[in-house]
Amino acid sequence: MVNTRKKHGPEFKAKVALAAVREEGTISELSSRFGVHASQIHAWKKVLLDGTATLFARSNAGPKGDAAADEALLAPLYEKIGQLTVERDFFRKRSGP
């Protein structure tokens, strides 16, 4: 018998975590209703509660501020990707087919 791990989407995780925060039932009731282990519900609830502060902090910067901040974070990463691609191509040519 092969046990395969379930992969839950973000919408499902949010729904379960919100149900836990709203106390729509005990954790064991939610666990049986959604088919998820109780410790997983606690973890998703903690992520939800810890992450809400960042939603409000980000909204003060405005949507254009987020794009500029994201671009500033991504620029060095794209530069590194380009550098590594050039190095890989160089070494591939040097090593032969």
Side-chain angles (χ1 to χ4, degrees):
M1 183 171 178
V2 177
N3 286 336
T4 58
R5 297 183 82 167
K6 294 180 185 176
K7 294 182 182 174
H8 302 290
E11 296 86 15
F12 178 76
K13 292 177 184 180
K15 181 171 74 170
V16 174
L18 282 173
V21 169
R22 292 179 184 154
E23 296 180 354
E24 294 177 0
T26 64
I27 296 296
S28 62
E29 289 172 350
L30 294 175
S31 176
S32 63
R33 181 171 20 150
F34 292 111
V36 178
H37 196 271
S39 62
Q40 191 64 61
I41 294 175
H42 284 294
W44 291 342
K45 180 180 174 183
K46 184 176 189 274
V47 168
L48 176 70
L49 293 176
D50 292 344
T52 54
T54 59
L55 293 173
F56 293 108
R58 204 174 349 155
S59 67
N60 291 340
K64 300 202 183 230
D66 287 339
D70 290 343
E71 192 64 36
L73 290 173
L74 290 176
L77 297 175
Y78 285 130
E79 183 179 332
K80 186 66 175 177
I81 290 170
Q83 176 189 354
L84 292 173
T85 303
V86 169
E87 290 176 6
R88 183 200 63 201
D89 293 344
F90 174 76
F91 287 121
R92 187 176 286 163
K93 287 178 186 175
R94 297 270 311 202
S95 67

